[in-house]
Amino acid sequence: MTGSGWIVGLMWIWPVFIVAGLLLIGFVVVRLIQEGLTSPPASRSVGSAARRILDERQARGESDEDEYRRRRSLLS
């Protein structure tokens, strides 16, 4: 039994590692869920960016009204 006393003394550390790991996993999951709820889906952000560019081009006079309406309907 000599020399094995320090191993028994460190047995308390495994539950600490397990609890810390579970807390870390929980934190990461919560952050991912929060990020997913606050950031818009990729398709919406791409669509709104395309719509914004189309509106800017129309405002600069780069396209006529018919072309603007046709492209706007394609984005909807």
Side-chain angles (χ1 to χ4, degrees):
M1 243 5 223
T2 53
S4 64
W6 64 274
I7 293 175
V8 175
L10 291 178
M11 291 296 284
W12 62 271
I13 204 157
W14 289 110
V16 171
F17 283 148
I18 291 171
V19 170
L22 290 174
L23 288 174
L24 180 64
I25 290 171
F27 176 76
V28 169
V29 167
V30 167
R31 292 291 293 181
L32 289 174
I33 290 172
Q34 286 177 345
E35 183 178 322
L37 293 176
T38 58
S39 65
S43 61
R44 277 194 206 157
S45 62
V46 169
S48 62
R51 206 171 300 120
R52 181 181 48 80
I53 291 170
L54 183 62
D55 290 343
E56 289 172 358
R57 290 183 67 192
Q58 175 65 21
R60 287 192 300 261
E62 294 179 9
S63 63
D64 61 354
E65 188 68 26
D66 292 332
E67 181 182 355
Y68 172 77
R69 287 182 190 208
R70 182 179 58 81
R71 289 184 182 208
R72 181 81 180 200
S73 68
L74 290 174
L75 290 174
S76 299

